[in-house]
């Protein structure tokens, strides 16, 4: 077997950037790369292991024997081991066998930069390259408009393994199959974007993908890397954006993963108060180490660059930001100013977002951040963390708490449904009804709704209508659009058989209509994060449990009026204030019979009178259907 040849893809500039934590394209250098040296094709390997005294590439080409193909350590104290192995090529399996300076510890690790991994539970890396030819040029040219902060965002959150299984064959759908069925479904339902729960390689199915070992490899559960590119491509060709869940907050302790990589705490923080998650039994990245920061930011850039992702939803940001996150007194150490903020994380997130938007100004980063940490979605140059959007966890919690109450008690909890508007414009908020809300005994969204079957579906239509007319962008977890009854189970397919029943058919039809109405109504999306895009008509009618408001876009002529009747009582001659002397006409009604409602509506345009009401100079009387959201336009 041919021996390792000295070769390097790194320049001195690369090394300096890496050491400084400023190299954000490390995937072009590290990992395995099929190249030709002196007329011989083979594979170049490079791995960071500064505490190693020996690093060998072991694989199916040398019977997994250590010492056969020892890499050369660079002379520049970078800790990088590298070399070219002739005749090793695409499809070969490999790992790094590392003998550490620390007590002679020996580890056998997957390649942190591998482009493809074996199907779990197998753990080897695979030498891989693809020459996928993208066909999404039109989308890439115009996606700045589709991904802008004043564009409609109705996001369908998907777990690829359980969206729709091939039940008769007891297997997952492949990327290719999803490119047909999922894309067609999302397009038909009029969603604007898909958000995928983590598709980077992960060893343990019950983690749902949130404990990664293959940061640069799409999971092999559903196919090859180029097949995942095909899925992305098909979404783009159908004018659907794709957001990827990204997990820079922690990683598992699996023997082949990043933990204790070279016999030292290389990727994880050595202090367990900063380096270990008690909740998830996982390791936390050392954000104070330059090379680790380069690794993570390079990984974010990789999915935007190589896989044409339109955004990254960054998982568990709160757990990163706070040193005392889920820790008791004595289990954490304050920062140098005596505070609880992890200053290294703050600077890391600012650097991440600065680099992402500099390189890809037509994408978005979205923070799953559950605290009141200030300025998460404000620009870095004014002191913010630089995210494009932030999940509105407070809205989600308050709204679901409110809606699960019997309507007879809602008047005593009116503040829960109006409070979100007190802080709605402090961040660029996305309203999430995500996978986290339909697991661990919380019930499905439909299962939370009170009343008989008709009322449960009416409540759910009302909830969705309220979400779509509330300021902010929208996200719904799969199954919610047709009224999944059971909690989500990652091992099972969604209950598509429910669509044999009329109430579920009607709800699906309703959500599609909401998506369509939202995309066609600029007042609902042009100013989603600005106070100028919203005006209360009435927020204090707790006795009737009714709220009403105006949503505004760039053109005042296109403003719409929204009224939510949060009880099953039919309210005729309900008076609302109007800001101007113009007739209004009902244009959307969640109580329509086509959606399974009772069919109560305002069939004719309604005229205002010169009588002050709700602090407005004019007023009019309308009919409010039971458990409904109705929307009017000015004519």
């Amino acid at each position: 077997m041919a021996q390792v040849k000295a070769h390097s893809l790194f320049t001195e500039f690369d090394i300096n950037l890496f050491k400084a934590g400023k190299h954000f394209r490390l995937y072009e250098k590290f990992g395995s790369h099929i190249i030709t040296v002196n007329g011989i094709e083979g594979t170049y390997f490079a791995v960071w292991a500064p505490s190693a005294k020996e690093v060998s590439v072991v694989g199916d080409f040398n019977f997994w024997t250590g010492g056969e193909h020892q890499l050369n350590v660079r002379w520049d104290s970078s800790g990088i081991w590298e070399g070219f192995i002739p005749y090793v090529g695409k499809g070969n399996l490999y790992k790094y066998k590392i003998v550490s300076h620390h007590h002679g510890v020996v580890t056998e690790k997957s390649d942190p930069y591998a482009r493809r991994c074996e199907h779990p539970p197998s753990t080897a890396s695979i030498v891989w390259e693809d020459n996928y030819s993208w066909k999404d040029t039109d989308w890439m040219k115009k996606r700045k408009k589709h991904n802008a902060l004043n564009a409609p965002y109705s996001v369908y959150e998907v777990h690829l393994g359980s969206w729709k299984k091939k039940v008769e064959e007891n297997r997952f759908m492949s990327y290719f199959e999803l490119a047909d069925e999922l894309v067609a479904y999302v397009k038909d339902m009029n969603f604007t974007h898909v958000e995928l729960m983590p598709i980077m390689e992960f060893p343990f199915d019950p983690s749902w993908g949130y404990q990664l070992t293959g940061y640069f490899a799409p999971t092999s559960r559903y196919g090859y890397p180029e097949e995942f590119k095909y899925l992305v491509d098909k979404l783009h060709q159908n004018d659907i954006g794709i957001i990827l869940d990204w997990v820079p907050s922690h990683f598992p302790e699996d023997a082949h993963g990043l933990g204790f990589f070279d016999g030292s705490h290389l990727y994880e923080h050595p202090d367990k108060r900063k380096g270990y998650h008690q909740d998830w039994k996982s390791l936390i990245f050392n954000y104070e180490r330059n090379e680790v920061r380069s690794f993570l930011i390079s990984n974010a850039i990789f999915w935007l660059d190589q896989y044409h992702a339109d955004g990254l939803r960054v998982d568990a940001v709160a757990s990163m930001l706070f040193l005392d996150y889920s820790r008791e007194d004595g289990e954490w150490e304050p920062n140098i100013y005596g505070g609880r903020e992890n200053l290294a994380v703050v600077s890391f997130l600012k650097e991440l977002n600065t680099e992402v938007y500099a390189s890809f100004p037509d994408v978005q980063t979205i923070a799953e951040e559950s605290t009141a940490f200030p300025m998460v979605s404000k620009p870095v140059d004014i002191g913010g963390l630089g995210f494009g959007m932030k999940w509105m966890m407070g809205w989600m919690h308050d709204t679901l708490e409110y809606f699960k109450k019997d309507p007879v008690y809602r008047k005593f909890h009116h503040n829960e449904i109006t409070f979100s508007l007190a802080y709605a414009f402090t961040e660029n908020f996305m309203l999430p009804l995500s996978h986290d809300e339909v697991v661990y005994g919380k019930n499905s969204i439909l299962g939370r709704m009170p009343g008989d079957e008709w009322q449960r579906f009416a409540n759910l239509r009302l909830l969705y209508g309220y979400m779509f007319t509330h300021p902010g962008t929208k996200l719904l977890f799969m199954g919610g659009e047709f009224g999944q009854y059971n909690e989500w189970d990652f091992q099972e397919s969604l209950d598509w058989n429910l669509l044999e029943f009329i109430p579920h058919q009607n709800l699906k039809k309703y959500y599609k209509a909401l998506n369509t109405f939202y995309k066609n109504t600029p007042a609902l999306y042009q100013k989603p994060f600005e106070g100028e895009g919203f005006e209360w008509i009435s927020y204090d009618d707790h006795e009737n449990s009714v709220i009403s408001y105006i949503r505004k876009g760039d053109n005042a002529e296109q403003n719409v009026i929204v009224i939510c009747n949060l009880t099953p009582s039919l309210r005729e001659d309900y008076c609302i204030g109007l800001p101007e002397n113009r007739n209004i006409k009902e244009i959307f009604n969640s109580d329509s019979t086509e959606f399974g409602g009772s069919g109560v509506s305002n069939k004719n345009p309604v005229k205002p009178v010169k009588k002050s009401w709700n602090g407005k100079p004019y007023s009019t009387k309308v009919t409010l259907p039971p458990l409904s959201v109705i929307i009017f336009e000015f004519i």
Side-chain angles (χ1 to χ4, degrees):
M1 170 61 73
Q3 295 303 301
V4 173
K5 308 292 184 185
H7 190 78
S8 183
L9 296 182
F10 288 91
T11 65
E12 186 178 349
F13 186 52
D14 286 325
I15 299 300
N16 290 336
L17 286 176
F18 177 52
K19 287 182 177 178
K22 302 295 183 184
H23 201 311
F24 304 137
R25 302 290 190 283
L26 290 177
Y27 53 89
E28 295 174 351
K29 309 290 179 173
F30 279 112
S32 56
H33 297 270
I34 299 170
I35 59 173
T36 300
V37 175
N38 297 328
I40 299 173
E41 189 172 280
T43 300
Y44 165 80
F45 295 90
V47 63
W48 180 50
S51 292
K53 65 180 179 183
E54 181 183 307
V55 177
S56 300
V57 182
V58 297
D60 57 1
F61 48 86
N62 62 14
F63 305 102
W64 303 93
T65 305
E68 285 284 310
H69 291 99
Q70 286 190 29
L71 298 179
N72 306 304
V73 66
R74 288 183 63 90
W75 63 93
D76 50 21
S77 72
S78 61
I80 296 171
W81 297 72
E82 61 184 350
F84 173 76
I85 306 179
Y87 312 116
V88 171
K90 184 174 178 177
N92 277 128
L93 306 181
Y94 72 100
K95 284 186 177 179
Y96 296 117
K97 189 163 189 175
I98 302 169
V99 181
S100 177
H101 275 299
H102 297 292
H103 312 295
V105 169
V106 178
T107 62
E108 200 168 283
K109 296 292 187 178
S110 300
D111 187 347
Y113 292 87
R115 302 294 182 93
R116 185 180 162 212
C117 303
E118 276 193 296
H119 194 301
S122 299
T123 57
S125 303
I126 303 175
V127 178
W128 202 254
E129 67 175 15
D130 69 75
N131 297 310
Y132 184 79
S133 178
W134 289 90
K135 299 177 179 62
D136 62 351
T137 307
D138 287 348
W139 168 266
M140 297 299 279
K141 285 178 180 175
K142 67 184 179 185
R143 72 173 180 172
K144 188 175 183 69
K145 177 183 74 171
H146 289 280
N147 294 333
L149 291 174
N150 61 352
Y153 264 81
S154 178
V155 183
Y156 189 52
E157 186 191 23
V158 176
H159 177 262
L160 289 183
S162 58
W163 178 71
K164 187 184 286 186
K165 281 190 161 181
K166 290 292 183 184
V167 179
E168 64 283 355
E169 300 171 45
N170 191 31
R171 65 171 177 83
F172 300 125
M173 292 182 76
S174 68
Y175 291 127
F176 269 152
E177 290 166 328
L178 288 159
D180 288 334
E181 292 200 37
L182 176 63
V183 173
Y185 181 80
V186 170
K187 185 175 185 180
D188 177 64
M189 288 295 294
N190 262 320
F191 286 98
T192 65
H193 293 73
V194 167
E195 179 183 308
L196 299 184
M197 290 168 67
I199 49 82
M200 302 81 184
E201 194 61 82
F202 59 100
F204 188 49
D205 283 358
S207 79
W208 310 337
Y210 289 99
Q211 301 250 8
L212 306 182
T213 50
Y215 273 76
F216 292 82
T219 178
S220 53
R221 287 166 175 82
Y222 317 120
Y224 292 165
E226 55 266 40
E227 294 172 340
F228 179 58
K229 289 180 179 178
Y230 178 77
L231 170 58
V232 175
D233 210 350
K234 288 285 281 191
L235 285 163
H236 285 171
Q237 289 169 41
N238 286 277
D239 286 344
I240 301 162
I242 180 167
I243 300 163
L244 301 180
D245 260 14
W246 184 59
V247 192
S249 48
H250 66 132
F251 57 93
E253 293 185 280
D254 293 60
H256 66 288
L258 296 177
F260 211 54
F261 190 81
D262 61 354
S264 74
H265 299 291
L266 188 62
Y267 287 91
E268 69 272 22
H269 200 287
D271 183 343
K272 289 197 79 167
R273 293 174 297 180
K274 294 182 182 179
Y276 187 73
H277 259 309
Q278 295 154 318
D279 290 1
W280 303 320
K281 305 292 185 280
S282 57
L283 302 172
I284 303 171
F285 284 104
N286 185 355
Y287 307 102
E288 299 164 21
R289 191 162 194 166
N290 286 341
E291 296 91 341
V292 172
R293 292 163 72 106
S294 271
F295 168 81
L296 287 171
I297 296 176
S298 290
N299 185 244
I301 294 296
F302 171 81
W303 293 102
L304 301 169
D305 173 26
Q306 298 289 300
Y307 284 87
H308 291 199
D310 298 291
L312 299 172
R313 177 264 193 185
V314 183
D315 182 60
V317 172
S319 76
M320 300 166 65
L321 282 171
F322 293 103
L323 296 163
D324 62 345
Y325 182 87
S326 199
R327 296 180 191 273
E328 303 294 331
D329 290 345
E331 294 178 346
W332 64 283
E333 184 180 42
N335 63 35
I336 57 172
Y337 303 111
R340 47 197 283 262
E341 298 80 13
N342 188 325
L343 301 179
V345 167
V346 172
S347 69
F348 163 73
L349 291 174
K350 289 180 177 182
E351 191 164 37
L352 163 72
N353 285 314
T354 299
E355 179 60 26
V356 165
Y357 284 108
S359 298
F360 301 93
D362 48 357
V363 306
Q364 298 294 345
T365 58
I366 305 164
E368 188 223 359
E369 204 285 312
S370 53
T371 74
F373 191 92
M375 302 179 71
V376 171
S377 58
K378 302 301 179 186
V380 170
D381 58 12
I382 62 168
L385 293 184
F387 285 94
M389 288 179 252
K390 168 181 167 170
W391 274 21
M392 198 176 193
M393 308 296 273
W395 172 87
M396 174 276 299
H397 180 267
D398 289 347
T399 300
L400 292 178
E401 278 297 306
Y402 180 89
F403 268 88
K404 75 180 185 183
K405 291 179 171 65
D406 188 302
V408 74
Y409 301 116
R410 286 178 179 173
K411 64 182 178 182
F412 304 113
H413 300 273
H414 200 65
N415 185 56
E416 287 179 16
I417 205 69
T418 60
F419 178 64
S420 59
L421 271 302
Y423 62 94
F425 308 111
T426 58
E427 298 276 5
N428 297 344
F429 280 120
M430 173 175 277
L431 313 183
L433 294 174
S434 76
H435 66 274
D436 278 327
E437 311 321 316
V438 293
V439 288
Y440 300 143
K442 295 176 188 171
N443 213 329
S444 65
I445 303 295
L446 178 62
R448 282 176 168 85
M449 299 297 112
D452 58 24
E453 182 180 77
W454 188 92
Q455 288 194 0
R456 284 203 301 275
F457 279 93
N459 264 301
L460 192 52
R461 292 194 303 271
L462 172 55
L463 165 57
Y464 290 157
Y466 165 64
M467 175 171 78
F468 270 83
T469 56
H470 187 290
T473 54
K474 330 296 173 189
L475 177 139
L476 182 73
F477 184 58
M478 62 183 198
E481 76 280 9
F482 63 78
Q484 174 91 359
Y485 259 127
N486 295 320
E487 282 195 352
W488 172 55
D489 182 347
F490 72 92
Q491 301 177 90
E492 302 294 334
S493 185
L494 293 180
D495 295 330
W496 294 101
N497 59 300
L498 291 174
L499 287 171
E500 297 172 14
F501 304 101
I502 289 173
H504 296 274
Q505 293 172 18
N506 287 337
L507 181 63
K508 178 172 172 279
K509 189 188 304 179
Y510 174 70
Y511 208 93
K512 177 179 177 177
L514 260 182
N515 273 337
T516 307
F517 183 79
Y518 172 60
K519 288 166 74 172
N520 293 334
T521 309
L524 295 180
Y525 64 76
Q526 285 181 338
K527 295 182 177 179
F529 315 122
E530 304 163 44
E532 307 90 79
F534 180 91
E535 180 184 339
W536 278 115
I537 295 175
S538 171
Y539 58 84
D540 55 1
D541 187 3
H542 56 86
E543 195 59 41
N544 290 310
S545 295
V546 173
I547 56 174
S548 51
Y549 42 91
I550 304 170
R551 288 301 312 276
K552 305 174 179 181
D554 297 332
N555 181 354
E557 297 292 312
Q558 297 178 324
N559 291 351
V560 296
I561 292 169
V562 181
I563 311 174
C564 299
N565 178 11
L566 298 151
T567 74
S569 300
L570 170 65
R571 304 196 186 282
E572 296 178 309
D573 294 326
Y574 184 84
C575 194
I576 62 163
L578 291 175
E580 53 187 295
N581 185 19
R582 282 204 290 160
N583 292 359
I584 60 172
K585 173 187 171 187
E586 184 182 291
I587 54 174
F588 192 88
N589 186 335
S590 69
D591 192 50
S592 167
T593 53
E594 69 172 312
F595 306 139
S598 62
V600 175
S601 68
N602 297 269
K603 293 184 173 59
N604 301 312
V606 184
K607 295 181 179 181
V609 295
K610 185 80 171 88
K611 179 186 176 184
S612 178
W613 198 260
N614 300 134
K616 304 286 188 283
Y618 301 92
S619 60
T620 192
K621 291 182 178 179
V622 296
T623 298
L624 304 186
L627 292 171
S628 67
V629 56
I630 52 175
I631 304 173
F632 294 86
E633 67 178 359
F634 290 97
I635 57 172

